[in-house]
Amino acid sequence: MAEIVRLGTKAVAGAPRHVAIIMDGNGRWATMRGRPRLFGHHAGAKRVREIVEACPDLGVKYLTIFAFSTENWKRTQVEVAGLMSLFRRYITREARALFEEGVRVRFIGDRLRLDRKLQALMDELETLTGVNDRVHLTIALNYGGRDEVARATKRLAQDVAAGRLNPADVDEETLPRYLDTCVLPDPDLVIRTSGEARISNFLLWQSAYAEYEFIDTLWPDFTKEIFATLVARFGTRDRRYGGAKP
Ligand code: FPP
């Protein structure tokens, strides 16, 4: 696994415009301290602000974080309810600061399965921060890449059936217009914490040419210095998009 070198949070040439993070390891972080898993999720939520605030100096305009997957419903009822409560509290408590820091917040995922109160808070936060443009924070909540592609395909098929879209015109520019991320650029860098080297159904279509960083650090220990190191290392990657060096 990658070794992390300390580095200040100064602007880095060749920074990734869009960074996506799989925030893994909250449960293990809590267990190591003899605490319940939700303690780790609360510690993880506190980290989010530090990483969002680091983005402008690092040249990161878009940050997308994986908060709850379509598979996370399989967890215990206590953990799921605790996470939903955490999301409600997070939105309520952080809304003002996010707005004042110029953060535009969006949510991706199937929000219809979430409780009405949480859905309303998500809508309000998107509206409140809709004028901002300093950092674009996207929170994936009840999100799964396959579910997103399936929902997008359903809408695309409806447009075909209604005569609004000609099947002959469907190409790889078409489907992204139906994805939850339709207004976002593709991620340049995907980070996963906690030592697991898998993408777990996150941004499957969008990450086709992303660079990946799998690091051992557990999410509640992920600092802006570590973030800055990974952003700097991204600047050294040779991205060829399937082409060859001349
Ligand atoms: C994965 O760690 C983490 C989650 C499923 C939840 C992510 C949520 C947060 C970081 C907190 C809230 C975020 C916001 C935006 C308020 P895990 O539980 O799978 O850890 P483990 O692999 O060690 O068990």
Side-chain angles (χ1 to χ4, degrees), residues 48-49 51-56 61-63 90 94-106 125-139:
V48 172
R49 180 191 282 217
I51 300 310
V52 173
E53 283 177 357
C55 285
K61 187 82 176 172
Y62 295 86
L63 178 71
Y90 176 84
E94 294 286 312
R96 182 56 41 193
L98 288 164
F99 172 71
E100 284 170 2
E101 283 159 21
V103 181
R104 177 165 187 171
V105 183
R106 296 182 178 88
L125 186 57
E126 285 181 330
T127 304
L128 173 72
T129 62
V131 293
N132 286 342
D133 184 42
R134 191 159 167 256
V135 183
H136 292 247
L137 171 66
T138 302
I139 303 176

Side-chain angles (χ1 to χ4, degrees), residues 23-28 37 41 45 65 67 72 75 87 90 219:
M23 308 179 288
D24 196 12
N26 296 345
R28 276 164 284 169
R37 295 176 57 79
H41 295 314
I65 55 174
N72 286 152
R75 297 186 176 208
F87 298 140
Y90 176 84
W219 173 252

Side-chain angles (χ1 to χ4, degrees), residues 78-97:
V78 169
E79 184 169 351
V80 170
L83 276 167
M84 294 302 148
S85 162
L86 171 60
F87 298 140
R88 285 192 298 271
R89 281 168 53 184
Y90 176 84
I91 294 173
T92 308
R93 289 184 183 175
E94 294 286 312
R96 182 56 41 193

Side-chain angles (χ1 to χ4, degrees), residues 183-195:
V183 297
L184 304 175
D186 285 344
D188 301 293
L189 173 64
V190 178
I191 297 168
R192 183 177 188 140
T193 58
S194 93

Side-chain angles (χ1 to χ4, degrees), residues 5-227:
V5 188
R6 288 196 162 264
L7 195 93
T9 50
K10 57 182 188 296
V12 178
R17 187 169 173 228
H18 184 175
V19 178
I21 307 182
I22 302 173
M23 308 179 288
D24 196 12
N26 296 345
R28 276 164 284 169
W29 187 90
T31 304
M32 283 162 60
R33 285 160 179 77
R35 304 295 297 271
R37 295 176 57 79
L38 277 167
F39 181 70
H41 295 314
H42 280 265
K46 286 191 192 127
R47 278 291 168 202
V48 172
R49 180 191 282 217
E50 176 180 334
I51 300 310
V52 173
E53 283 177 357
C55 285
D57 281 350
L58 295 174
V60 175
K61 187 82 176 172
Y62 295 86
L63 178 71
T64 298
I65 55 174
F66 205 178
F68 192 88
S69 78
T70 45
E71 290 73 37
N72 286 152
W73 298 103
K74 294 178 201 156
R75 297 186 176 208
T76 65
Q77 202 269 333
V78 169
E79 184 169 351
V80 170
L83 276 167
M84 294 302 148
S85 162
L86 171 60
F87 298 140
R88 285 192 298 271
R89 281 168 53 184
Y90 176 84
I91 294 173
T92 308
R93 289 184 183 175
E94 294 286 312
R96 182 56 41 193
L98 288 164
F99 172 71
E100 284 170 2
E101 283 159 21
V103 181
R104 177 165 187 171
V105 183
R106 296 182 178 88
F107 293 91
I108 56 171
D110 184 359
R111 55 182 89 186
L112 297 180
R113 193 173 166 188
L114 301 170
D115 80 52
R116 300 285 279 270
K117 168 83 176 146
L118 179 54
Q119 286 185 46
L121 288 168
M122 291 159 66
D123 292 344
E124 280 168 30
L125 186 57
E126 285 181 330
T127 304
L128 173 72
T129 62
V131 293
N132 286 342
D133 184 42
R134 191 159 167 256
V135 183
H136 292 247
L137 171 66
T138 302
I139 303 176
L141 231 176
N142 193 28
Y143 174 86
R146 288 180 173 180
D147 175 70
E148 180 192 32
V149 170
R151 286 186 286 105
T153 307
K154 193 182 294 180
R155 289 199 300 276
L156 189 153
Q158 284 164 348
D159 278 353
V160 168
R164 291 188 290 266
L165 181 66
N166 182 350
D169 295 335
V170 174
D171 59 19
E172 61 181 79
E173 307 293 320
T174 313
L175 187 67
R177 295 203 292 267
Y178 292 84
L179 294 174
D180 298 348
T181 52
C182 58
V183 297
L184 304 175
D186 285 344
D188 301 293
L189 173 64
V190 178
I191 297 168
R192 183 177 188 140
T193 58
S194 93
E196 312 289 355
R198 52 178 175 259
I199 58 169
S200 299
N201 206 9
F202 189 43
L203 301 176
L204 295 180
W205 174 283
Q206 300 87 338
S207 298
Y209 279 99
E211 301 291 327
Y212 283 86
E213 286 280 5
F214 298 105
I215 61 160
D216 287 339
T217 311
L218 303 176
W219 173 252
D221 293 328
F222 188 84
T223 60
K224 61 180 187 298
E225 288 79 16
I226 296 172
F227 188 39

